[in-house]
Amino acid sequence: MNVHDADVHTIAPELPAMFDGMKLAAVATVLYVIVRCLNLKSPTAPPDLTYQDTPLSRFLLKSCPQLTKEYIPPLLWGKSGHLQTALYGKLGRVSSPHPCGIRKYLPMQDGATATFDLFEPLGDHTTGGDITMVICPGIGNHSEKHYIRTFVDYAQKDGYRCAVLNHLGALPNIELTSPRMFTYGCTWEFAAMVGYIKRAFPQTQLIVVGFSLGGNIVCKFLGENRTNQERVLCCVSVCQGYSALRAQETFLQWDHCRRIYNFLMADNMKKIIFSHRQSLFGRGSVTIDANLSGLYTATSLMQIDDNIMRKFHGHDSLKEYYEKESCVHYIHNVDVPLLLVNSADDPLVHDSLLTIPRTLAAKKPNVIFALTLHGGHLGFFEGAVLFPQPLTWMDKVIVGYANTICQWEKQKPICQGGNLSEGSCLKSKNT
């Protein structure tokens, strides 16, 4: 018994030390994972800008501070693109306002009915002008989404009228009137909204804004026909991918959980399509040759696009659909001032796609490409430590850029032939 007791007394003191070491190792591992996952060691910095040195770009960088100052996300979680994206996806925005607008219905030639919401300004614009923001939301989104409501309220208070397109089929309480819904690059509904605004407000000038998929649509719209750029002061595109054909391969990759996001977006698209099943595929409708069994089992946007979406416009293949509906083939025709915004930690837009806006900005004097270190996909939350502010950096940079362009138009130099390049401008007498 004495020997046994001695063994017990010699072993027992080592056990607490061993367990303490395991606890420390576990805590250290958890902290390491948190630091890596939340990207806490990542620095904050101003957006990385690609542009040509022109009188307009110098004026913009001087007068729009959001383009040159640090974007500072919330300290504890704001440097994670996944959390920024998830918070946008679930909450949209913090303390989202409820702007009051009027819903407009526009009959289309193919029997579809486009809808948009019109919001009047809540004050005078700083330039005294009549200016309307025509806004195209992201995939399956509409004017009732929190991030759209927050932005509209902010723009209204700065003196802008806002017209927000409701993607065809996106509103749950609006039935389709033809066997067609929104697609990746169809500009018909956006063109109808812009046409209405130009007719209803003949003195107004336009600021074109697109979010994510909406960014592709607005850039394609402006580049399809240069007459679409009449009365347009500028365009801002946020978090788009520019080329669906190039993006499809990256969406099947697992890095940055892109494959998971693809599955979640596909699931949401299936819900929208099935909510309009009767209008799209039922008796009495001019149905497309849809593979519904393939739609039920689809786990990616590409499968849905191939089975359903490309057929709305008669494309023979997925490759043809992506090529013809991507703005990459039209954006070089955009001559109005163009701000392209992306985030380096956007889990949906692969880094390889960003060569498109970077190359464009290096070649065209009207384009600025702004790439932030953080922000995720349509997140761009700002805040001190934990709680984000109601307004995001994205909201501020769009309105700030628009205000600066409006000011430039009011007092701009007289440019020979409209050229924005260095040395082509003479100051007007009243500036």
Side-chain angles (χ1 to χ4, degrees):
M1 289 294 294
N2 290 337
V3 175
H4 178 72
D5 291 341
D7 289 340
V8 172
H9 288 299
T10 57
I11 294 173
E14 297 175 359
L15 292 176
M18 181 178 69
F19 285 127
D20 287 343
M22 293 175 63
K23 289 178 182 177
L24 287 173
V27 170
T29 302
V30 170
L31 289 176
Y32 174 78
V33 171
I34 290 175
V35 170
R36 287 297 300 272
C37 291
L38 298 183
N39 209 17
L40 295 178
K41 295 180 69 177
S42 177
T44 57
D48 179 44
L49 301 178
T50 304
Y51 63 95
Q52 291 190 19
D53 184 22
T54 67
L56 175 58
S57 64
R58 290 198 294 271
F59 185 77
L60 281 164
L61 299 185
K62 177 182 177 182
S63 306
C64 183
Q66 291 81 12
L67 290 175
T68 55
K69 290 186 177 181
E70 275 187 307
Y71 161 54
I72 303 177
L75 179 63
L76 291 183
W77 55 268
K79 295 178 181 179
S80 167
H82 295 296
L83 290 180
Q84 287 256 18
T85 303
L87 189 59
Y88 143 73
K90 287 297 182 184
L91 297 181
R93 289 297 179 257
V94 179
S95 303
S96 180
H98 293 269
C100 295
I102 300 174
R103 182 153 294 165
K104 301 289 185 177
Y105 298 82
L106 304 176
M108 308 290 290
Q109 289 185 350
D110 67 343
T113 303
T115 69
F116 72 94
D117 287 15
L118 186 63
F119 305 87
E120 291 297 330
L122 298 179
D124 295 330
H125 193 269
T126 54
T127 63
D130 184 316
I131 305 170
T132 303
M133 284 194 174
V134 283
I135 302 165
C136 193
I139 183 171
N141 289 175
H142 44 73
S143 63
E144 297 174 10
K145 291 293 182 179
H146 289 193
Y147 77 99
I148 295 293
R149 284 165 33 191
T150 300
F151 175 72
V152 166
D153 180 74
Y154 182 49
Q156 281 181 291
K157 291 175 180 176
D158 250 46
Y160 292 98
R161 178 187 298 107
C162 294
V164 183
L165 181 69
N166 300 309
H167 283 301
L168 201 62
L171 281 169
N173 57 337
I174 301 293
E175 292 291 332
L176 294 176
T177 57
S178 75
R180 179 174 69 83
M181 56 182 292
F182 76 92
T183 57
Y184 176 68
C186 179
T187 59
W188 296 353
E189 292 83 46
F190 188 76
M193 180 179 76
V194 170
Y196 176 93
I197 294 297
K198 287 182 176 180
R199 292 190 301 272
F201 307 98
Q203 301 304 315
T204 197
Q205 292 177 295
L206 305 180
I207 307 288
V208 179
V209 180
F211 299 99
S212 191
L213 172 141
N216 178 72
I217 289 177
V218 300
C219 289
K220 182 172 177 280
F221 166 75
L222 292 176
E224 281 176 332
N225 191 327
R226 282 190 165 88
T227 60
N228 292 340
Q229 299 175 46
E230 294 174 359
R231 292 168 57 184
V232 173
L233 294 178
C234 66
C235 174
V236 183
S237 163
V238 185
C239 287
Q240 69 150 308
Y242 307 96
S243 172
L245 190 62
R246 299 190 201 179
Q248 66 169 332
E249 296 180 2
T250 69
F251 260 122
L252 296 176
Q253 299 169 357
W254 286 97
D255 63 308
H256 298 288
C257 303
R258 201 170 291 109
R259 186 68 180 85
I260 297 175
Y261 287 105
N262 190 2
F263 173 81
L264 294 175
M265 289 189 294
D267 189 60
N268 185 58
M269 278 298 300
K270 286 161 66 174
K271 291 177 181 177
I272 295 175
I273 293 170
F274 283 128
S275 70
H276 297 289
R277 183 184 327 190
Q278 187 61 33
S279 299
L280 294 173
F281 315 117
R283 293 180 180 177
S285 66
V286 182
T287 58
I288 60 173
D289 181 21
N291 181 3
L292 292 183
S293 61
L295 179 61
Y296 278 108
T297 58
T299 59
S300 72
L301 287 174
M302 287 72 75
Q303 291 172 324
I304 294 176
D305 289 341
D306 195 24
N307 287 317
I308 303 294
M309 309 305 286
R310 69 173 176 84
K311 298 175 182 179
F312 287 134
H313 295 281
H315 295 298
D316 294 328
S317 67
L318 187 63
K319 180 181 179 182
E320 179 187 292
Y321 170 66
Y322 284 158
E323 282 186 338
K324 293 189 175 181
E325 300 233 340
S326 295
C327 75
V328 67
H329 303 296
Y330 305 90
I331 197 169
H332 60 278
N333 294 324
V334 179
D335 297 321
V336 298
L338 174 61
L339 176 64
L340 304 173
V341 179
N342 285 93
S343 170
D345 66 355
D346 187 335
L348 302 184
V349 180
H350 192 272
D351 181 65
S352 63
L353 298 171
L354 302 182
T355 58
I356 297 172
R358 190 175 288 114
T359 302
L360 185 74
K363 290 182 178 180
K364 288 183 65 79
N366 62 306
V367 181
I368 293 180
F369 173 50
L371 181 66
T372 60
L373 276 178
H374 312 108
H377 191 77
L378 297 181
F380 298 103
F381 291 96
E382 290 184 306
V385 179
L386 181 61
F387 297 104
Q389 300 170 4
L391 280 177
T392 69
W393 178 87
M394 179 181 77
D395 302 319
K396 296 173 186 176
V397 76
I398 297 174
V399 172
Y401 178 84
N403 286 342
T404 305
I405 291 293
C406 292
Q407 192 64 36
W408 167 266
E409 287 293 322
K410 184 178 180 181
Q411 61 181 35
K412 71 178 179 180
I414 301 173
C415 298
Q416 298 174 0
N419 196 337
L420 296 174
S421 62
E422 180 66 52
S424 65
C425 300
L426 298 173
K427 289 288 185 180
S428 60
K429 293 181 180 180
N430 61 353
T431 58

